[in-house]
Amino acid sequence: MATASDDVILLDFLPSMFGMRVRIALAEKQVKYKYIEVDMWNKSDLLLQMNPVHKKIPVLYIDEVWNETSPLLPSDPYQRAQARFWADYIDKKVHDAGRTINFTKGEEQEQAKKDFVGILKTLEGQLGDKPYFGGDIFGFVDVALIPFYCWFYTYESFGNFKIELECPKLIGWAKRCMEKESVAKSLPDESKIYEHACFLRKKFLEIFR
């Protein structure tokens, strides 16, 4: 078991997919940490000191620090590069498309739905018939993508569509991931995500209507 460190502090925001990744990874590594919920509208000095450039929740390089327990990246250099490529694809594509579904209407939202489903189908193709993206073992790409699963209900509610009808294998993968304690305990309930998103959507549409 990885040793706990009193110096590990997680500055987090419950609905953040990126914070969820850190929670999952630390759980996989069996690393204990001090959790501090941050106010994303009024960022603390501690958060800004830890990440002064982007002023976002810092991403910990967990797999490199605790590399002896439950490695998330494969040891093979080519497979490592592939895992990093798909995690980067998720970062660049999934978040922005989902956000557009949440905060738009009409034709723009319809296009965002098509883009989002297309992105998920690409990921579903990469998954293939494997249990996880890296094969039989839960790994880096799974950690990158699974936090978005608790946002799917919100995307579906705002966009009036069903992801499972379009990407059944991907939903099967997500349910498989949710059977893992590290994932189930790290992802908020979808109803809390939806409540948070409704608040943001109302503010956004009031400003830009």
Side-chain angles (χ1 to χ4, degrees):
M1 178 183 293
T3 57
S5 170
D6 293 335
D7 295 330
V8 179
I9 299 174
L10 175 58
L11 303 181
D12 202 356
F13 180 52
L14 189 67
S16 168
M17 301 90 160
F18 308 104
M20 292 177 214
R21 290 176 179 176
V22 175
R23 286 175 243 159
I24 293 168
L26 288 173
E28 284 288 304
K29 301 289 186 178
Q30 302 179 47
V31 174
K32 294 183 179 180
Y33 56 89
K34 181 179 180 181
Y35 179 93
I36 299 178
E37 182 83 7
V38 299
D39 181 354
M40 297 306 293
W41 313 111
N42 184 24
K43 295 173 182 176
S44 67
D45 290 339
L46 178 59
L47 177 60
L48 299 181
Q49 287 170 11
M50 293 184 70
N51 200 2
V53 177
H54 299 293
K55 300 182 180 179
K56 296 179 180 178
I57 296 170
V59 177
L60 307 178
Y61 294 95
I62 296 166
D63 203 43
E64 296 177 3
V65 175
W66 292 279
N67 56 15
E68 296 181 357
T69 305
S70 300
L72 299 174
L73 280 165
S75 58
D76 178 77
Y78 174 76
Q79 292 179 353
R80 287 173 71 91
Q82 284 290 297
R84 290 183 182 277
F85 170 84
W86 287 108
D88 186 61
Y89 178 88
I90 291 164
D91 282 349
K92 291 178 177 177
K93 299 288 188 178
V94 180
H95 180 268
D96 287 349
R99 180 182 175 84
T100 305
I101 292 171
N102 285 351
F103 295 135
T104 58
K105 294 180 178 180
E107 292 183 5
E108 188 176 0
Q109 187 186 63
E110 288 300 314
Q111 184 60 52
K113 285 162 51 177
K114 291 179 183 178
D115 293 343
F116 186 73
V117 169
I119 292 163
L120 295 187
K121 283 184 178 292
T122 297
L123 289 167
E124 190 175 59
Q126 176 63 21
L127 175 66
D129 294 323
K130 302 187 298 290
Y132 301 105
F133 280 91
D136 293 329
I137 300 174
F138 181 80
F140 192 71
V141 181
D142 305 293
V143 173
L145 182 58
I146 192 58
F148 289 92
Y149 180 57
C150 63
W151 279 83
F152 279 8
Y153 173 75
T154 296
Y155 302 148
E156 292 174 333
S157 297
F158 290 150
N160 192 29
F161 70 117
K162 289 292 183 183
I163 295 170
E164 188 166 13
L165 294 178
E166 302 285 350
C167 303
K169 284 188 178 181
L170 195 68
I171 296 300
W173 160 84
K175 291 177 179 178
R176 190 176 305 116
C177 291
M178 288 298 293
E179 294 174 359
K180 295 182 64 65
E181 184 177 357
S182 61
V183 177
K185 289 188 174 182
S186 298
L187 268 58
D189 186 87
E190 62 184 17
S191 62
K192 291 185 178 180
I193 297 295
Y194 179 70
E195 182 180 346
H196 168 73
C198 285
F199 169 76
L200 293 181
R201 178 179 169 88
K202 181 180 178 181
K203 288 188 66 174
F204 184 87
L205 293 179
E206 284 176 352
I207 294 172
F208 295 100
R209 63 185 175 184

